């Protein structure tokens, strides 16, 4: 209800507003919510939409002349609710699969999620892998190189993050925002508004966006 | 018409008298003379004081001299003229009016001067409605009373004061014959007008009352309740008092009733007279306390109040006129039930002399009055009203929805305690809000006075009298809300049922007559309910044919929506019995909120007007759009009966709405009423969507739910849900994955109320707001013991499962489907979409709970459902822009407006195929003799068999001359020239 079509209307001047649905996957207690909360709270309030809870959050980031608005759908990590996940990732344009670097089983679970996404989610979905709790490096059980290699093999964005210290949190979302197809037909409801805007090639520019901290 | 309308409204007052129907009642009325109104109070309590209190309210507005009987009568008459609205508003209304006298708007209904102001509005509104419900609408115009009222008022005042018969005559003379007839019915009884019949029938029989109820949706419900009680015996007079207290508009009617009843209840009335005053005050306070649900022992009362306010606000714009006309006749009847409840409470108060007792009584009275409405009226009314109300009230509901949406942000903080009240206040608009605030304050004062003693009550009454005049629109809403509340109470057996039993015992103890009356009312209400149902059906199918029923339906609908809103608030109010000061604080908070909302409403009024006009257009038989809407509704009912898939069924309806919308947005019918400088396309789209919800979804909601239930009964979903619900209820929170605190019983109660409200709401958008409110309550409960922690889905979903397992899963299932499929596909739901998906997922999880434990997977079908849903939403939006007028053509048979069908045709559909469809639709025996014609400027053009009707239609629509054209299926003439395309255009 919070976001109506009109709110996504093109802004002043050349600013384009692209809205994307981003789904959060990962085992329970790996820090999915913390990661997103850190991202949302770290942004300017003016781009933050008030929501009733943290399971759904909305946050916009600026990339040059484009405002990318994420609607972030959290999922329950419990195995018993695994069957509900397809309802959330179907139709999502982006996904962050989160694991806990101190718990190897969460990395295995993350790999299972990636596999499922690549098999069942929309073919153009942008998937990012986040090794969370990097502040607990002394307890690390999943090596950075291992995860990095896996991400490269499966064409994922990968970063080790820390919701606690905010390390790489904004960077992760900005990287996703840059990778989002902003003029695609994958997002039919916004295609008309987004037409002609493609920031894919402007990584550096986007880095210097107003929201990059 | 205006005069007639005015007359009718005055006649309603006589109706009250007529309700008495006993010679004693009439005599008492005549004896009362100018004190007639007070006398009605006497009936309840046997004291004129209450009447005086009422009179002052009117008096201040006009002359400020309550003592002047004529002026008072005139005021009342005028109020009656604006009756529908006024009656509804009465309880709160009086308070507000007194405070809001400064407000020009408020006075309209109550004061003569106000009546003048109202006249324009009423007249304006009246025109649109007349086509369908001519009789009813004229009464609605009661506004006209503003101009004629003074004279009529005098005559009426004299007659009522002198005697009920005189009143009848005066009313009849001044007002329409129909009005007279009802009054006369009470004595001689014989009316042509349906209203009269209804009144007379009510007095004589329950059945008539039902009809009336159907005609007068919200107001009718209350009236119907009263009517049943009044006809059986004079005892209803007591009830009128409570009604008056609770409802300002009803108060006038109630007074007459009381006067009539006075003979029977005189003893009680005498003892209760002070109490009556107090009761009235409480009722007023109750109205003011709408914001203060806690005051009422039962939540339902508060909710009702709030809902009433909302309903009134909505109704004001859309259907105030209609309601007023309808209500004038019925208002008396409806009031009587309320009066009974009040009487009962009053009796209690009387018995309890101590100040403390009185205080408690006052609260109880408020509650009881509300409860009475629920208990006495609700049982009867709910069944009857529910069906008819849905169609008509929806319009009003829509308006409120808009307001609520605007206000929702502000309201949210208060949602827990009194979300509905703020909304309602906002709905009421700025004027109402001011009144409400005043009323609240007054109510508080009244409460205090009550605590002190009867003298204070008298003062309060005088104040109330002065205040009463201003708040016409709220009244209507209030009436509707009352009705809704009653319905809601019925629907919500738990909260309301307790209140009713309590009230009934009291009434029995104190007033045997009152109890008897209540029973009668219930019985009557039941009968009425059945009748109303019939009426509602008829209205759905042929709104135009029966003007009366349709008008009543809208009101009912408005009430229903308000009730839903109220319901959410009810639980808190019912559970909480707070001190007056506490209540006052709440009231103040609400008032401030209300004031803000009023400001918003002022800005929103233009939107509401547009929405109202669209709604009226949809009910206008003479308009193309109106015909389309009716055809679509009829088609939907046919289609639903054949569907075996809930999704497909709902998609058909959504498609129909989408097409209606696309037609209207492009049509000249809309262009003529929209200032395109003021509205963006998105805004118009939203307004049209809201209007369509009102005219299409509101009347179809009940059938839709009915068929959904049937479908899910067949596919086993209901059985799975109910079976697994028990399993999950026995599952530990740990097994569910709950790691936080879960909602305690009081929060669960609130959540369930949100869901109940959601279930009653017809607008998919508004349903989602209630879903979000329920989810917010869950989040809040999770945060207890760990404030500041933000909970994600890991924590939320298990708790949601825990909560859902304790709710009405079947209703939830229907609601979720309803929302998912009927929501405007062009809307980006965002958060709403997330929680809708989550709820759907949780329901599916529950439905397949056992299987999942084995397979750990939902069926592929379920997994796909959301995906398909999202695809539909996006595809539908794409379709939206393409699908349009082009997809439908409306064809009349032989002559215009005789028999009309809307046919779904594709752009490539040729005339030959359309002719074939027409032959089937119109059941023509020799189809080869018929042809398809286009009527343009009274010139017929026959279309060739290979012509494309949609192409022709598109050409005509694009024509710069904005030609008025109609398709006709008629006997062909050999000499007609076959046109392939209308090239000459």
């Amino acid at each position: 209800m919070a976001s109506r079509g009109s709110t996504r209307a093109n802004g002043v001047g050349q600013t384009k507003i692209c809205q994307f649905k981003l789904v959060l996957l990962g085992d329970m207690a790996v820090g999915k919510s913390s990661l997103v909360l850190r991202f949302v709270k770290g942004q300017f309030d003016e781009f933050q939409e008030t929501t009733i809870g943290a399971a759904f959050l909305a946050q916009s980031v600026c990339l040059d002349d484009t405002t990318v608005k994420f609607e972030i759908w959290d999922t329950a990590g419990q195995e018993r609710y695994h069957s509900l996940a397809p309802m959330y990732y179907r139709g999502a344009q982006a996904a962050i699969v989160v694991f806990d670097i101190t718990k190897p089983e969460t990395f295995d679970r993350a790999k299972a999620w990636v596999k499922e996404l690549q098999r069942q989610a929309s073919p153009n979905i942008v998937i990012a892998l986040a090794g969370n709790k990097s502040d607990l490096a002394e307890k690390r059980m999943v090596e950075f190189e291992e995860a990095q290699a896996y991400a490269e093999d499966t064409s994922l964005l990968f970063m080790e993050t820390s919701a606690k210290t905010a390390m790489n949190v904004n960077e992760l979302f900005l990287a996703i925002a840059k990778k989002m197809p902003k003029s695609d037909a994958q997002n039919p409801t916004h295609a008309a508004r987004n037409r002609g805007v493609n920031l894919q090639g402007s990584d550096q520019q986007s880095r210097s966006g107003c929201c990059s901290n | 018409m205006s005069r007639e309308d005015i007359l009718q409204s005055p006649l309603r007052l006589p109706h009250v008298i007529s309700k008495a129907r006993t010679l004693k009642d009439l005599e008492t009325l005549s004896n009362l003379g100018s004190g007639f109104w007070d006398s009605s109070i006497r009936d309840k309590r046997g004291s004129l004081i209450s009447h005086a209190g009422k009179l002052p309210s009117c008096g201040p507005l006009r002359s400020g001299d309550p003592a002047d009987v004529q002026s008072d009568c005139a005021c009342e008459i005028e109020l009656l003229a604006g009756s529908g609205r006024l009656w509804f508003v009465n309880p709160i209304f009086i308070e507000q009016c007194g405070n809001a006298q400064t407000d020009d708007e408020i006075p309209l209904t109550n004061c003569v001067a106000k009546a003048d102001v109202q006249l324009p509005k009423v007249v304006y509104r009246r025109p649109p409605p007349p086509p369908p419900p001519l009789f009813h609408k004229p009464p609605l115009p009661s506004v006209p009373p503003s101009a004629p009222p003074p004279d009529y008022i005098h005559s009426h005042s004299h007659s009522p004061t002198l005697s009920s018969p005189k009143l009848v005559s005066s009313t009849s003379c001044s007002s329409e014959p129909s009005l007279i007839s009802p009054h006369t019915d009470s004595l001689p009884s014989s009316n042509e007008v349906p209203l009269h019949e209804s009144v007379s029938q009510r007095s004589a029989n329950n059945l008539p009352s039902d009809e009336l109820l159907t005609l007068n949706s919200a107001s009718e419900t209350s009236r119907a309740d009263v009517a049943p009680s009044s006809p059986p015996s004079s005892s209803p007079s007591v009830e009128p008092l409570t009604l008056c207290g609770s409802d300002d508009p009803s108060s006038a009617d109630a007074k007459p009733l009381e006067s009539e009843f006075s003979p029977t209840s005189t003893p009680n009335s005498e003892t209760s007279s002070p109490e009556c005053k107090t009761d009235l005050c409480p009722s007023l306070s109750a109205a003011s306390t709408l914001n203060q649900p806690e005051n009422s022992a039962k939540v339902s009362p508060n909710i009702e109040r709030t809902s009433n306010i909302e309903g009134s606000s909505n109704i004001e714009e859309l259907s105030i006129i209609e309601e007023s006309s309808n209500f004038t006749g019925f208002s008396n009847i409806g009031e009587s039930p309320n009066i009974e409840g009040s009487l009962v409470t009053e009796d209690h108060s009387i018995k309890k002399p101590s100040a403390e007792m009185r205080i408690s009584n006052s609260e109880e009275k408020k509650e009881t009055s509300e409860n009475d409405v629920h208990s006495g009226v609700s049982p009867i009314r709910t069944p009857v009203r529910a069906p008819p109300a849905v169609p008509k009230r929806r319009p009003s509901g829509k308006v409120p929805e808009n307001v609520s949406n605007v206000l929702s942000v502000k309201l949210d903080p208060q949602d827990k305690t009194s979300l509905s009240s703020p909304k309602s206040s906002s709905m009421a608009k700025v004027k109402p809000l001011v009144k409400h605030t005043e009323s609240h304050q007054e109510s508080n004062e009244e409460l205090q006075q009550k605590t002190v003693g009867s003298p204070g009550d008298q003062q309060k009454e005088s104040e109330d009298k002065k205040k009463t005049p201003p708040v016409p629109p709220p009244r209507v809403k209030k009436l509707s809300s009352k009705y809704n509340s009653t319905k809601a109470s019925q629907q919500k057996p738990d909260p309301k049922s307790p209140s009713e039993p309590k009230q009934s015992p009291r009434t029995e103890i104190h007033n045997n007559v009152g109890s008897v009356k209540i029973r009668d009312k219930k019985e009557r209400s039941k009968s009425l309910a059945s009748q109303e149902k019939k009426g509602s059906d008829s209205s759905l199918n042929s709104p135009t044919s029966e003007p009366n029923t349709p008008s009543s339906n809208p009101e009912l609908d408005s009430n229903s929506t308000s009730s839903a809103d109220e319901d959410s608030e009810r639980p808190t109010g019912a559970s909480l019995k707070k001190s007056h000061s506490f209540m006052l604080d709440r009231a103040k908070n609400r008032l401030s909120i209300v004031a803000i909302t009023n400001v918003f409403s002022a800005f929103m009024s233009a939107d509401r007007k547009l929405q109202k006009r669209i709604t009226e257009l949809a009910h206008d038989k003479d308009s193309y759009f109106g015909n389309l809407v009716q055809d679509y509704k009829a088609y939907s009912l046919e289609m639903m009966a054949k569907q075996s898939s809930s999704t497909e069924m709902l998609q058909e309806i959504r498609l129909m709405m989408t097409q209606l919308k696309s037609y209207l947005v492009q049509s000249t019918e809309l262009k003529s009423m929209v200032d395109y400088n003021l509205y963006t396309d998105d805004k118009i789209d939203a307004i049209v969507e809201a209007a369509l919800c009102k005219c299409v979804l509101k009347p179809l909601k009940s059938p839709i739910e009915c068929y959904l239930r049937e479908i899910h009964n067949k596919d086993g979903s209901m059985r799975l849900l109910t079976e697994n619900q028990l399993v999950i209820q026995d599952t530990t929170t740990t097994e569910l994955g709950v790691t936080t605190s879960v909602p305690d019983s009081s929060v669960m109660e609130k959540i369930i109320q949100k869901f109940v409200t959601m279930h009653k709401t017809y607008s998919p958008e508004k349903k989602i707001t209630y879903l979000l409110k329920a989810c917010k309550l869950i989040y809040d409960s999770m945060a207890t013991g760990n404030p500041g922690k933000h909970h994600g889905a890991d924590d939320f979903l298990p708790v949601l499962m825990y909560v859902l397992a304790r709710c009405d899963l079947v209703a939830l299932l229907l609601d979720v489907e309803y929302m998912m499929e009927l929501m405007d596909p062009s809307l980006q739901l965002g958060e709403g979409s997330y929680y809708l998906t989550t709820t759907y997922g949780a329901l599916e999880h529950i439905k397949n709970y056992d299987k999942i434990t084995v397979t750990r997977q939902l069926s592929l079908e379920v997994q796909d459902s959301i995906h398909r849903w999202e695809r539909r939403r996006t595809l539908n939006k794409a379709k939206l822009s393409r699908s349009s007028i082009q997809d439908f053509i409306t064809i009349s048979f032989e002559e215009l407006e005789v028999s009309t069908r809307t046919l779904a045709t594709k752009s490539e559909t040729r005339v030959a195929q359309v002719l074939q469809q027409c032959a089937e639709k119109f059941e023509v025996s020799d189809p080869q003799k018929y042809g398809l014609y286009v009527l343009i400027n009274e010139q017929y053009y026959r279309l060739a068999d290979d012509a494309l009707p949609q192409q022709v239609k598109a050409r005509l629509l694009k024509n710069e001359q904005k030609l008025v054209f109609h398709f006709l299926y008629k006997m062909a003439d050999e000499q007609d020239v076959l046109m392939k395309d209308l090239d000459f255009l």
Side-chain angles (χ1 to χ4, degrees), chain B residues 820-821 833 837 865-873:
Chain B
M820 288 173 73
E821 301 300 342
S833 185
T837 299
S865 60
I866 287 285
H867 182 49
R868 285 187 275 111
W869 174 58
E870 294 200 354
R871 279 185 57 83
R872 271 201 308 280
R873 289 183 60 78

Side-chain angles (χ1 to χ4, degrees), chain A residues 1 3-4 8 21 29 32-33 37 51-52 54-56 71 73-75 77-81 84 87-88 90, chain B residues 686 735-737 768 779 790-794 827-832 834 838 841 845 856 864 866-867 870:
Chain A
M1 294 302 290
S3 68
R4 228 190 147 156
R8 273 177 292 99
K21 173 178 167 184
K32 295 189 296 292
S33 302
L37 280 165
T51 58
I52 61 170
F56 174 89
E71 284 192 350
W73 292 40
D74 195 5
T75 61
Q78 292 95 330
E79 183 65 31
R80 62 169 67 81
Y81 297 119
L84 298 182
M87 294 181 179
Y88 294 89
R90 289 283 173 84
Chain B
E735 283 174 330
L736 284 175
I768 286 192
Y779 274 116
H790 296 277
H791 296 284
D794 282 353
L827 277 185
Q828 294 298 316
L829 293 179
E831 191 170 30
Y834 177 84
T838 301
H845 191 74
R856 306 186 71 78
D864 278 341
I866 287 285
H867 182 49
E870 294 200 354

Side-chain angles (χ1 to χ4, degrees), chain A residues 1-9 19 21 23-24 26-34 37 41 49-58 69 71-93 116 119-122 186-190 193, chain B residues 405 682 685-686 689 734-739 765-766 768-769 771-773 775-776 779-780 790-798 801 823-824 826-835 837-842 844-845 852 856-858 860 862-870 873-874 877:
Chain A
M1 294 302 290
S3 68
R4 228 190 147 156
S6 59
T7 61
R8 273 177 292 99
Q19 180 173 318
K21 173 178 167 184
V23 65
L24 279 176
D27 210 344
M28 193 182 168
V30 294
K32 295 189 296 292
S33 302
S34 305
L37 280 165
K41 301 291 179 194
E49 283 184 25
T50 304
T51 58
I52 61 170
F56 174 89
L57 295 166
K69 177 183 170 186
E71 284 192 350
I72 304 163
W73 292 40
D74 195 5
T75 61
Q78 292 95 330
E79 183 65 31
R80 62 169 67 81
Y81 297 119
H82 179 107
S83 60
L84 298 182
M87 294 181 179
Y88 294 89
Y89 64 67
R90 289 283 173 84
Q93 287 103 18
E116 183 172 335
R119 195 175 66 244
Q120 296 190 35
S122 90
Q186 172 186 347
N187 195 5
T189 54
H190 314 128
R193 288 176 179 134
Chain B
N405 291 336
D682 283 353
D685 195 78
E689 174 73 20
T734 313
E735 283 174 330
L736 284 175
V738 175
T739 58
E765 273 188 76
K766 196 166 189 185
I768 286 192
T769 63
L771 176 64
L772 290 178
K773 283 176 183 172
C775 290
K776 181 74 165 61
Y779 274 116
D780 291 345
H790 296 277
H791 296 284
D794 282 353
D795 301 319
F796 178 77
L797 184 60
M801 289 282 294
M823 176 76 61
D824 181 358
S826 66
L827 277 185
Q828 294 298 316
L829 293 179
E831 191 170 30
S833 185
Y834 177 84
Y835 290 100
T837 299
T838 301
T839 308
Y840 176 78
E844 289 298 333
H845 191 74
I852 290 170
R856 306 186 71 78
Q857 282 288 327
L858 286 176
L860 284 177
V862 173
Q863 289 190 26
D864 278 341
S865 60
I866 287 285
H867 182 49
R868 285 187 275 111
W869 174 58
E870 294 200 354
R873 289 183 60 78
T874 52
K877 191 184 181 186

Side-chain angles (χ1 to χ4, degrees), chain B residues 796-807:
Chain B
F796 178 77
L797 184 60
V799 180
L800 179 67
M801 289 282 294
Y802 171 89
V803 168
L804 293 187
R806 284 149 184 83
C807 295

Side-chain angles (χ1 to χ4, degrees), chain B residues 102-130:
Chain B
T102 55
D103 293 1
D104 295 341
E105 296 176 357
I106 296 169
L108 294 174
T109 54
N110 294 333
C111 296
V112 176
K114 293 177 180 179
D116 294 341
V117 177
Q118 292 175 344
L119 288 175
K121 292 179 179 179
V122 174
V123 173
Y124 180 81
R125 293 173 181 176
R126 293 174 184 174

Side-chain angles (χ1 to χ4, degrees), chain B residues 175-363:
Chain B
S175 63
E176 296 176 356
S178 63
L179 292 174
I180 297 166
S181 62
H183 299 292
T184 55
D185 289 348
S186 60
L187 300 175
S189 87
S190 65
N191 297 330
E192 296 175 357
V193 178
L195 292 173
H196 296 294
E197 293 176 357
S198 63
V199 173
S200 63
Q201 290 176 348
R202 290 175 183 172
S203 60
N205 299 329
N206 294 338
L207 294 174
S209 62
D210 292 345
E211 294 177 355
L212 294 172
L213 291 172
T214 57
L215 295 173
N216 308 323
S217 57
S219 60
E220 288 177 2
T221 56
S222 61
R223 293 173 185 173
D225 294 343
V226 177
S229 62
S230 63
S233 65
S234 61
S235 61
S237 64
V238 176
E239 293 174 349
L241 291 172
T242 56
L243 290 174
C244 296
S246 62
D247 296 343
D248 296 348
S250 64
S251 64
D253 293 339
K255 292 175 181 179
L257 291 173
E258 291 175 353
S259 63
E260 293 177 356
F261 295 106
S262 60
T264 57
S265 63
T266 332
N268 294 334
S269 64
E270 291 176 357
T271 56
S272 64
S273 62
E275 293 178 351
C276 290
K277 295 176 181 179
T278 58
D279 290 348
L280 293 173
C281 297
S283 65
L284 295 173
S285 62
S288 61
T289 56
L290 289 175
N291 301 330
Q292 311 166 340
E294 308 96 313
N295 292 340
S296 63
K298 300 172 182 178
V299 179
S300 61
N302 294 331
I303 295 168
E304 290 176 354
R305 293 172 183 173
T306 58
S307 66
N308 292 336
I309 295 170
E310 293 179 357
S312 63
S313 64
N314 296 333
I315 294 168
E316 289 175 357
E317 294 179 356
L318 295 176
S319 61
I320 290 169
I321 298 167
E322 292 178 358
E323 289 177 352
S324 65
S325 64
N326 294 331
F327 291 131
T328 54
F330 299 95
S331 62
N332 295 335
I333 296 167
E335 291 173 353
S336 64
N338 294 334
I339 292 166
E340 291 177 356
S342 64
L343 289 173
V344 173
T345 57
E346 289 174 356
D347 294 341
H348 295 292
S349 65
I350 294 167
K351 291 178 179 178
K352 301 174 182 177
S354 67
E356 292 178 356
M357 294 297 290
R358 289 178 183 176
I359 295 169
S360 64
N361 289 337
S362 65
E363 293 178 356

